[in-house]
């Protein structure tokens, strides 16, 4: 089946001013083959895929389809060769319905120059595609009523209806729940059976283990190696990606936490706006990391936002070191030393157009001001120190936050709270979309904070992460707390049972 | 800073060209007139600019000015208010109207464009109604010399409105570019959600900005009232909000919010007034007045867009260089 690859990229190089993004990279994909493209952020995966998708031009190298060289200079060219790109950030229009999205820019028309849309046909054909992907919706459903996972399937339907032979999926599962991920992986299998080739970009290595026929690893813009189906395992991939052993990825999750009675953070009867009928009670001791597992939509982020005061909560009792608190807004939370590192760092965590210095000082601006006038030297000094102390990689604190990598952006969000003395830190999906190296650094920081007596809450949908970082794991299902696991009870199955509500 | 430099250069070039074609441009009387206009327009433009930095808009400035002018005249000539009280009442009314806008926008989540558009219509109507649509003046009321001086007088040859503009600009510059409030304003304008997550009270920041805009509109309003010396309820201040928006945008404010500077707004105002002056002096048909302004604003904003993108590309290149260096050294 894979004798002549369906398509090949050979010796692809791309130079941006001052840096070589891709250096003689090769990649081939056979018909009906699932190739995982993995590597740390900045390894060149996106650049390579953008070249294939026609979004950017290469400096060197050739692209061949069935052995014949082709030129791909625009996304339109790519589409004409059957190459479709499912982006990490969904590119569906949620003001239109399913059929309209599937046929966008390819609407069948009638009426000659009037170009009236053949509505009967698009709904009929869309219905077929929707069924084929096992979506239990109709083609007339507005996209705004669909979950992210369903919207993603609509994108896949669009790719299929465009006659895709190669589908590039960029981090397709990054915002999916476990069940939804399951379904997506099944669909990838089905596509494969239909002889569609898939290039699968993911940081979630266990997915790669499961579905990839081959894994191609990039590092620093070069091919770092390739693993065949039988060779793919977690450790090998990590080693190839980072070029060294990542020993002790998770360090310091302690077997026994010294819990001081009455100390720490206690939450009683927290009811969020989304699940007003359920109430949550739990405690986090000082020095403890309490993981929050659950499916997306279980109400964990709502809980975090309510605790931080950005979302209203009903009659919650919050205690810190035995003292009752009132939290009516983020300012209250901040004044009590309770901080949130939100899920969506580009939208809620940072002001991406502000520079690093301004982002770090923002919540603590008064500390750098006298008579409300900002002392820039003092502010800059604090930013430089923060960058140094938690290793934020930026040439200058005057750099726009938007230009930093995901991991460094996350550190900037963290840095601003470290300029206070945190007592409770709530991390919501702290490593989403962050490369392996930066992940390890963030785990270390979390453990270090806990060791210094901070009560830490880590909300995570990544099983490895929540099992690795937590001292205890609280599991939520549809707004309810279905259980709290002690370290001795930790297992993927135990978490899954509670998360899916099959127990409790 | 570079942004302001760009449009400052444009301003200087325009002045040089105009004075070369018509040396009367440099006549003291012309320069004084020009400065007086810049002062009167600049003060409310700063207020409008601050609102634009929050990501909002204030369309009712011109109508508010009409209403304030009518009220000022009536308070002084018909209702017999003492001058001090009348002035305080006037500024108070303007601040209350601003507060009203701010509250509707922040508490009821209404869109600034709509709230202030309603203001634009409403205040103009009220101005015409309370005045019976009659042009108002200040007649023979005694004790108005100081106010007349504020509008028409000079301090060491410099027109008073311009002096006031410089003072107000200096204060707002410190507030916007050096104070905590200013930073919060930029943060709120740029990304209100992230600002809230950083613990900033975004609602009050925004509401306060509309109040400040109201106050500055009142100060401009007093100057305009005595400058024209008669207030026609239907026309006084007509379309002034557009001058303010144009000045702010020329000066580097983005209607998306979170961007702009006081110096930029002042230079933007100056540029607009020089353009009007130029149309006069160069005997360009005055019907082309707006067309010239429109064209210059368009070119200015276009150039600014290009510069911003270039600067950002430079930063991205810097990041790449750094990671490339790191890759080499490791």
């Amino acid at each position: 089946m894979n004798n002549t690859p369906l398509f090949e990229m050979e010796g692809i190089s791309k130079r941006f001013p001052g840096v070589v993004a891709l250096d003689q990279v090769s990649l081939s994909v056979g018909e009906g083959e699932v190739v995982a493209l993995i590597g740390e952020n900045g390894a060149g995966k996106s650049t390579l895929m953008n070249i294939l998708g026609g979004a950017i031009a290469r400096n060197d190298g050739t692209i061949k389809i069935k052995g014949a060289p082709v030129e791909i200079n625009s996304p339109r060219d790519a589409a004409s060769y059957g190459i479709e790109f499912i982006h990490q950030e969904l590119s569906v229009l949620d003001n239109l319905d399913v059929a309209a999205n599937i046929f966008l820019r390819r609407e069948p028309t009638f009426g000659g120059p009037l170009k009236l849309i053949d509505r009967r046909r698009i709904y009929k054909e869309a219905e077929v595609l929707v069924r084929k992907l096992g979506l239990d919706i109709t083609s007339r459903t507005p996209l705004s009523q669909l979950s992210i996972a369903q919207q993603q399937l609509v994108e896949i339907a669009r790719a299929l209806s465009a006659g895709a032979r190669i589908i590039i999926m960029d981090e397709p599962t990054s915002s999916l729940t476990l069940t939804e991920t399951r379904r997506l992986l099944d669909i990838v299998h089905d596509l494969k059976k239909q002889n569609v080739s898939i290039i699968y970009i993911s940081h979630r290595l266990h997915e790669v283990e499961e579905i990839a026929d081959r894994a191609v690893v990039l590092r620093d813009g070069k091919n770092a190696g390739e693993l065949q189906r039988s060779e793919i395992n977690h450790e090998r991939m990590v080693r190839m990606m980072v070029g060294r052993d990542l020993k002790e990825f998770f360090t310091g999750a302690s077997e026994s936490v010294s819990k001081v009675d009455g100390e720490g953070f206690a939450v009683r009867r927290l009811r969020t706006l989304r699940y007003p009928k359920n109430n949550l009670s739990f405690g986090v001791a000082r020095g403890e990391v309490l993981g929050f597992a659950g499916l997306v939509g279980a109400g964990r982020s709502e809980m975090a936002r309510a605790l931080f005061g950005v979302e209203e909560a009903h009659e919650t009792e919050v205690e810190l070191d035995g003292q009752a608190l009132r939290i009516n807004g983020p300012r209250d939370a901040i004044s009590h030393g309770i901080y949130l590192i939100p899920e969506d760092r580009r939208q809620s965590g940072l002001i991406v157009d502000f520079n690093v210095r301004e982002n770090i000082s923002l919540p603590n601006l008064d500390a750098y001001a006298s008579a409300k006038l900002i002392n820039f030297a003092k502010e800059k000094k604090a930013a430089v120190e923060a960058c140094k102390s938690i290793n934020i990689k930026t040439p200058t604190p005057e750099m726009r936050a938007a230009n930093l990598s995901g991991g460094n952006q996350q550190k900037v969000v963290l840095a601003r709270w470290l300029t206070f003395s945190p007592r409770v830190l709530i991390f919501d999906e702290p490593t989403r979309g962050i490369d392996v190296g930066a992940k390890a650094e963030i785990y270390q920081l979390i453990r270090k904070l806990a060791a210094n007596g901070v009560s830490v809450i880590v909300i995570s949908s990544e099983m490895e992460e929540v099992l690795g970082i937590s001292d205890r794991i609280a599991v939520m299902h549809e707004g309810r707390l279905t259980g709290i696991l002690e370290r001795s009870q930790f297992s993927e199955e135990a978490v899954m049972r509670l998360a899916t509500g099959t127990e409790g | 800073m570079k942004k302001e430099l760009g449009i400052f250069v444009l301003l200087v070039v325009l002045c040089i060209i105009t004075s070369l074609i018509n040396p009367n441009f440099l006549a003291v009387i012309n320069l004084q007139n020009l400065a007086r206009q810049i002062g009167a327009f600049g003060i409310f433009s700063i207020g409008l600019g601050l609102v634009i930095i929050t990501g909002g808009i204030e369309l009712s400035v011109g109508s508010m000015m009409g209403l304030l002018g009518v009220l000022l005249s009536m308070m002084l000539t018909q209702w017999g208010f003492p001058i001090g009280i009348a002035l305080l009442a006037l500024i108070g009314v303007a601040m209350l109207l601003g507060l009203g806008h701010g509250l509707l926008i922040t508490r009821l989540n209404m869109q600034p464009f709509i709230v202030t558009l309603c203001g634009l219509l409403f205040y103009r109507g009220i101005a015409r109604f309370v005045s019976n649509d009659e042009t108002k003046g200040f007649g023979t009321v005694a004790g108005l010399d100081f106010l007349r001086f504020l509008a028409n007088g000079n301090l060491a040859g410099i027109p008073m409105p311009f002096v006031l503009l410089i003072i107000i600009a200096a204060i707002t510059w410190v507030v916007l570019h050096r104070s905590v409030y200013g930073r919060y304003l930029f943060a709120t304008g740029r990304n209100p959600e992230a600002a809230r997550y950083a613990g900033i009270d975004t609602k009050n920041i925004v509401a306060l900005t509309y109040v400040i805009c109201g106050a500055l509109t009142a100060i401009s309003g007093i100057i305009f009232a005595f400058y024209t010396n008669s207030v026609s309820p239907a026309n006084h201040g007509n379309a002034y909000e557009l001058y303010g928006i144009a000045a702010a945008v020329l000066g580097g404010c983005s209607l998306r919010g979170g961007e702009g500077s006081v110096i930029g707004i002042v230079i933007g105002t100056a540029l607009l007034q020089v353009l009007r002056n130029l149309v006069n002096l160069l005997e360009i048909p005055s019907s082309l007045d707006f067309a010239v302004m429109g064209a210059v604003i368009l070119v200015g904003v276009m150039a600014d867009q290009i510069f911003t993108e270039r600067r950002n590309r430079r930063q991205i290149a810097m990041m790449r260089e750094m990671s490339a260096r790191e890759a080499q050294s490791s």
Side-chain angles (χ1 to χ4, degrees), chain A residues 50 55 85-91 152 155 168-172:
Chain A
N50 280 324
F85 207 144
I86 313 277
H87 290 272
Q88 183 175 9
E89 255 126 59
L90 291 174
S91 52
Q152 199 161 42
E155 275 206 274
I168 305 166
M169 296 187 182
D170 188 4
E171 296 274 353

Side-chain angles (χ1 to χ4, degrees), chain B residues 133-146:
Chain B
D133 224 353
E134 287 163 9
T135 299
K136 299 282 174 188
F138 296 96
T140 53
V141 177
L144 294 179
D145 293 348
F146 179 67

